[in-house]
PDB file of all heavy atoms in Angstrom:
ATOM      1  N   ALA A 107      99.084  80.783  90.181  1.00  0.00           N
ATOM      2  CA  ALA A 107      98.692  79.385  89.956  1.00  0.00           C
ATOM      3  C   ALA A 107      97.345  79.316  89.249  1.00  0.00           C
ATOM      4  O   ALA A 107      97.133  78.473  88.360  1.00  0.00           O
ATOM      5  CB  ALA A 107      98.650  78.636  91.285  1.00  0.00           C
ATOM      6  N   HIS A 108      96.426  80.198  89.623  1.00  0.00           N
ATOM      7  CA  HIS A 108      95.108  80.239  88.965  1.00  0.00           C
ATOM      8  C   HIS A 108      95.255  80.549  87.482  1.00  0.00           C
ATOM      9  O   HIS A 108      94.689  79.841  86.630  1.00  0.00           O
ATOM     10  CB  HIS A 108      94.236  81.301  89.644  1.00  0.00           C
ATOM     11  CG  HIS A 108      93.038  81.699  88.847  1.00  0.00           C
ATOM     12  ND1 HIS A 108      91.916  80.892  88.711  1.00  0.00           N
ATOM     13  CD2 HIS A 108      92.781  82.820  88.108  1.00  0.00           C
ATOM     14  CE1 HIS A 108      91.022  81.497  87.950  1.00  0.00           C
ATOM     15  NE2 HIS A 108      91.522  82.662  87.565  1.00  0.00           N
ATOM     16  N   TYR A 109      96.018  81.593  87.138  1.00  0.00           N
ATOM     17  CA  TYR A 109      96.124  82.001  85.741  1.00  0.00           C
ATOM     18  C   TYR A 109      96.899  80.978  84.906  1.00  0.00           C
ATOM     19  O   TYR A 109      96.534  80.699  83.760  1.00  0.00           O
ATOM     20  CB  TYR A 109      96.784  83.379  85.639  1.00  0.00           C
ATOM     21  CG  TYR A 109      95.900  84.511  86.104  1.00  0.00           C
ATOM     22  CD1 TYR A 109      96.307  85.361  87.129  1.00  0.00           C
ATOM     23  CD2 TYR A 109      94.651  84.737  85.527  1.00  0.00           C
ATOM     24  CE1 TYR A 109      95.505  86.401  87.565  1.00  0.00           C
ATOM     25  CE2 TYR A 109      93.845  85.783  85.953  1.00  0.00           C
ATOM     26  CZ  TYR A 109      94.274  86.615  86.975  1.00  0.00           C
ATOM     27  OH  TYR A 109      93.472  87.644  87.399  1.00  0.00           O
ATOM     28  N   TYR A 110      97.972  80.422  85.450  1.00  0.00           N
ATOM     29  CA  TYR A 110      98.737  79.410  84.705  1.00  0.00           C
ATOM     30  C   TYR A 110      97.917  78.140  84.510  1.00  0.00           C
ATOM     31  O   TYR A 110      97.963  77.517  83.441  1.00  0.00           O
ATOM     32  CB  TYR A 110     100.044  79.089  85.428  1.00  0.00           C
ATOM     33  CG  TYR A 110     101.150  80.074  85.156  1.00  0.00           C
ATOM     34  CD1 TYR A 110     101.507  81.053  86.090  1.00  0.00           C
ATOM     35  CD2 TYR A 110     101.874  80.023  83.972  1.00  0.00           C
ATOM     36  CE1 TYR A 110     102.530  81.950  85.846  1.00  0.00           C
ATOM     37  CE2 TYR A 110     102.903  80.919  83.709  1.00  0.00           C
ATOM     38  CZ  TYR A 110     103.227  81.883  84.660  1.00  0.00           C
ATOM     39  OH  TYR A 110     104.243  82.776  84.400  1.00  0.00           O
ATOM     40  N   HIS A 111      97.179  77.736  85.521  1.00  0.00           N
ATOM     41  CA  HIS A 111      96.323  76.548  85.389  1.00  0.00           C
ATOM     42  C   HIS A 111      95.263  76.773  84.320  1.00  0.00           C
ATOM     43  O   HIS A 111      95.010  75.887  83.482  1.00  0.00           O
ATOM     44  CB  HIS A 111      95.673  76.231  86.742  1.00  0.00           C
ATOM     45  CG  HIS A 111      94.784  75.036  86.711  1.00  0.00           C
ATOM     46  ND1 HIS A 111      93.399  75.131  86.660  1.00  0.00           N
ATOM     47  CD2 HIS A 111      95.064  73.703  86.710  1.00  0.00           C
ATOM     48  CE1 HIS A 111      92.882  73.918  86.639  1.00  0.00           C
ATOM     49  NE2 HIS A 111      93.859  73.034  86.668  1.00  0.00           N
ATOM     50  N   ARG A 112      94.660  77.952  84.324  1.00  0.00           N
ATOM     51  CA  ARG A 112      93.640  78.274  83.330  1.00  0.00           C
ATOM     52  C   ARG A 112      94.233  78.304  81.917  1.00  0.00           C
ATOM     53  O   ARG A 112      93.540  78.018  80.930  1.00  0.00           O
ATOM     54  CB  ARG A 112      92.992  79.625  83.673  1.00  0.00           C
ATOM     55  CG  ARG A 112      91.677  79.872  82.954  1.00  0.00           C
ATOM     56  CD  ARG A 112      91.017  81.126  83.467  1.00  0.00           C
ATOM     57  NE  ARG A 112      91.745  82.328  83.100  1.00  0.00           N
ATOM     58  CZ  ARG A 112      91.351  83.571  83.384  1.00  0.00           C
ATOM     59  NH1 ARG A 112      90.222  83.749  84.073  1.00  0.00           N
ATOM     60  NH2 ARG A 112      92.061  84.614  83.019  1.00  0.00           N
ATOM     61  N   ALA A 113      95.534  78.650  81.813  1.00  0.00           N
ATOM     62  CA  ALA A 113      96.202  78.705  80.509  1.00  0.00           C
ATOM     63  C   ALA A 113      96.656  77.323  80.029  1.00  0.00           C
ATOM     64  O   ALA A 113      97.189  77.201  78.920  1.00  0.00           O
ATOM     65  CB  ALA A 113      97.397  79.644  80.580  1.00  0.00           C
ATOM     66  N   GLY A 114      96.479  76.294  80.856  1.00  0.00           N
ATOM     67  CA  GLY A 114      96.764  74.941  80.416  1.00  0.00           C
ATOM     68  C   GLY A 114      98.100  74.370  80.842  1.00  0.00           C
ATOM     69  O   GLY A 114      98.442  73.244  80.440  1.00  0.00           O
ATOM     70  N   PHE A 115      98.860  75.065  81.649  1.00  0.00           N
ATOM     71  CA  PHE A 115     100.138  74.532  82.110  1.00  0.00           C
ATOM     72  C   PHE A 115      99.907  73.520  83.225  1.00  0.00           C
ATOM     73  O   PHE A 115      98.979  73.643  84.021  1.00  0.00           O
ATOM     74  CB  PHE A 115     101.054  75.662  82.574  1.00  0.00           C
ATOM     75  CG  PHE A 115     101.540  76.532  81.449  1.00  0.00           C
ATOM     76  CD1 PHE A 115     100.926  77.742  81.165  1.00  0.00           C
ATOM     77  CD2 PHE A 115     102.587  76.116  80.642  1.00  0.00           C
ATOM     78  CE1 PHE A 115     101.346  78.536  80.113  1.00  0.00           C
ATOM     79  CE2 PHE A 115     103.020  76.898  79.585  1.00  0.00           C
ATOM     80  CZ  PHE A 115     102.399  78.105  79.310  1.00  0.00           C
ATOM     81  N   ARG A 116     100.792  72.520  83.285  1.00  0.00           N
ATOM     82  CA  ARG A 116     100.631  71.439  84.258  1.00  0.00           C
ATOM     83  C   ARG A 116     101.749  71.394  85.294  1.00  0.00           C
ATOM     84  O   ARG A 116     101.689  70.603  86.219  1.00  0.00           O
ATOM     85  CB  ARG A 116     100.563  70.099  83.507  1.00  0.00           C
ATOM     86  CG  ARG A 116      99.319  69.975  82.635  1.00  0.00           C
ATOM     87  CD  ARG A 116      98.050  69.980  83.500  1.00  0.00           C
ATOM     88  NE  ARG A 116      96.825  70.022  82.696  1.00  0.00           N
ATOM     89  CZ  ARG A 116      96.121  71.114  82.495  1.00  0.00           C
ATOM     90  NH1 ARG A 116      96.510  72.270  83.027  1.00  0.00           N
ATOM     91  NH2 ARG A 116      95.010  71.070  81.773  1.00  0.00           N
ATOM     92  N   GLU A 117     102.743  72.263  85.131  1.00  0.00           N
ATOM     93  CA  GLU A 117     103.829  72.320  86.111  1.00  0.00           C
ATOM     94  C   GLU A 117     104.401  73.727  86.147  1.00  0.00           C
ATOM     95  O   GLU A 117     104.660  74.330  85.096  1.00  0.00           O
ATOM     96  CB  GLU A 117     104.943  71.328  85.755  1.00  0.00           C
ATOM     97  CG  GLU A 117     106.100  71.337  86.750  1.00  0.00           C
ATOM     98  CD  GLU A 117     107.207  70.347  86.375  1.00  0.00           C
ATOM     99  OE1 GLU A 117     107.009  69.580  85.403  1.00  0.00           O
ATOM    100  OE2 GLU A 117     108.255  70.345  87.048  1.00  0.00           O
ATOM    101  N   LEU A 118     104.603  74.264  87.356  1.00  0.00           N
ATOM    102  CA  LEU A 118     105.233  75.565  87.531  1.00  0.00           C
ATOM    103  C   LEU A 118     106.609  75.357  88.151  1.00  0.00           C
ATOM    104  O   LEU A 118     106.793  74.536  89.050  1.00  0.00           O
ATOM    105  CB  LEU A 118     104.383  76.475  88.420  1.00  0.00           C
ATOM    106  CG  LEU A 118     103.005  76.845  87.856  1.00  0.00           C
ATOM    107  CD1 LEU A 118     102.298  77.840  88.768  1.00  0.00           C
ATOM    108  CD2 LEU A 118     103.114  77.405  86.440  1.00  0.00           C
ATOM    109  N   VAL A 119     107.572  76.120  87.653  1.00  0.00           N
ATOM    110  CA  VAL A 119     108.960  75.997  88.082  1.00  0.00           C
ATOM    111  C   VAL A 119     109.440  77.360  88.551  1.00  0.00           C
ATOM    112  O   VAL A 119     109.156  78.382  87.910  1.00  0.00           O
ATOM    113  CB  VAL A 119     109.861  75.504  86.926  1.00  0.00           C
ATOM    114  CG1 VAL A 119     111.275  75.241  87.433  1.00  0.00           C
ATOM    115  CG2 VAL A 119     109.270  74.271  86.265  1.00  0.00           C
ATOM    116  N   THR A 120     110.176  77.398  89.657  1.00  0.00           N
ATOM    117  CA  THR A 120     110.620  78.684  90.174  1.00  0.00           C
ATOM    118  C   THR A 120     111.916  78.546  90.942  1.00  0.00           C
ATOM    119  O   THR A 120     112.367  77.444  91.267  1.00  0.00           O
ATOM    120  CB  THR A 120     109.536  79.312  91.070  1.00  0.00           C
ATOM    121  OG1 THR A 120     109.810  80.704  91.221  1.00  0.00           O
ATOM    122  CG2 THR A 120     109.483  78.644  92.429  1.00  0.00           C
ATOM    123  N   GLY A 121     112.535  79.691  91.244  1.00  0.00           N
ATOM    124  CA  GLY A 121     113.671  79.772  92.145  1.00  0.00           C
ATOM    125  C   GLY A 121     113.250  80.532  93.385  1.00  0.00           C
ATOM    126  O   GLY A 121     112.386  81.405  93.334  1.00  0.00           O
ATOM    127  N   THR A 122     113.865  80.187  94.526  1.00  0.00           N
ATOM    128  CA  THR A 122     113.515  80.858  95.781  1.00  0.00           C
ATOM    129  C   THR A 122     114.765  81.062  96.613  1.00  0.00           C
ATOM    130  O   THR A 122     115.716  80.285  96.521  1.00  0.00           O
ATOM    131  CB  THR A 122     112.455  80.046  96.557  1.00  0.00           C
ATOM    132  OG1 THR A 122     111.967  80.801  97.662  1.00  0.00           O
ATOM    133  CG2 THR A 122     113.015  78.730  97.062  1.00  0.00           C
ATOM    134  N   GLY A 123     114.769  82.142  97.399  1.00  0.00           N
ATOM    135  CA  GLY A 123     115.910  82.446  98.240  1.00  0.00           C
ATOM    136  C   GLY A 123     115.708  81.921  99.648  1.00  0.00           C
ATOM    137  O   GLY A 123     116.178  80.848 100.021  1.00  0.00           O
ATOM    138  N   ALA A 124     114.947  82.669 100.452  1.00  0.00           N
ATOM    139  CA  ALA A 124     114.690  82.255 101.832  1.00  0.00           C
ATOM    140  C   ALA A 124     113.710  81.096 101.910  1.00  0.00           C
ATOM    141  O   ALA A 124     113.631  80.409 102.918  1.00  0.00           O
ATOM    142  CB  ALA A 124     114.148  83.440 102.635  1.00  0.00           C
ATOM    143  N   GLY A 125     112.939  80.888 100.852  1.00  0.00           N
ATOM    144  CA  GLY A 125     112.002  79.773 100.815  1.00  0.00           C
ATOM    145  C   GLY A 125     110.548  80.165 100.971  1.00  0.00           C
ATOM    146  O   GLY A 125     109.652  79.331 100.783  1.00  0.00           O
ATOM    147  N   GLN A 126     110.270  81.437 101.304  1.00  0.00           N
ATOM    148  CA  GLN A 126     108.865  81.839 101.429  1.00  0.00           C
ATOM    149  C   GLN A 126     108.132  81.696 100.098  1.00  0.00           C
ATOM    150  O   GLN A 126     107.004  81.200 100.057  1.00  0.00           O
ATOM    151  CB  GLN A 126     108.750  83.291 101.930  1.00  0.00           C
ATOM    152  CG  GLN A 126     109.113  83.473 103.381  1.00  0.00           C
ATOM    153  CD  GLN A 126     110.516  84.010 103.541  1.00  0.00           C
ATOM    154  OE1 GLN A 126     111.377  83.749 102.695  1.00  0.00           O
ATOM    155  NE2 GLN A 126     110.758  84.737 104.608  1.00  0.00           N
ATOM    156  N   TRP A 127     108.787  82.137  99.018  1.00  0.00           N
ATOM    157  CA  TRP A 127     108.139  82.046  97.717  1.00  0.00           C
ATOM    158  C   TRP A 127     107.978  80.596  97.285  1.00  0.00           C
ATOM    159  O   TRP A 127     106.928  80.190  96.793  1.00  0.00           O
ATOM    160  CB  TRP A 127     108.905  82.834  96.663  1.00  0.00           C
ATOM    161  CG  TRP A 127     108.464  82.565  95.252  1.00  0.00           C
ATOM    162  CD1 TRP A 127     109.202  82.049  94.239  1.00  0.00           C
ATOM    163  CD2 TRP A 127     107.154  82.783  94.704  1.00  0.00           C
ATOM    164  NE1 TRP A 127     108.455  81.935  93.087  1.00  0.00           N
ATOM    165  CE2 TRP A 127     107.183  82.385  93.352  1.00  0.00           C
ATOM    166  CE3 TRP A 127     105.956  83.275  95.230  1.00  0.00           C
ATOM    167  CZ2 TRP A 127     106.076  82.452  92.514  1.00  0.00           C
ATOM    168  CZ3 TRP A 127     104.848  83.340  94.393  1.00  0.00           C
ATOM    169  CH2 TRP A 127     104.908  82.943  93.058  1.00  0.00           C
ATOM    170  N   GLY A 128     109.002  79.788  97.495  1.00  0.00           N
ATOM    171  CA  GLY A 128     108.883  78.378  97.153  1.00  0.00           C
ATOM    172  C   GLY A 128     107.772  77.695  97.926  1.00  0.00           C
ATOM    173  O   GLY A 128     106.998  76.908  97.374  1.00  0.00           O
TER     174      GLY A 128
END
Side-chain angles (χ1 to χ4, degrees):
H108 164 74
Y109 288 122
Y110 278 103
H111 180 258
R112 196 173 69 177
F115 291 98
R116 294 296 173 259
E117 180 180 354
L118 296 185
V119 186
T120 198
T122 189
Q126 288 100 331
W127 168 242

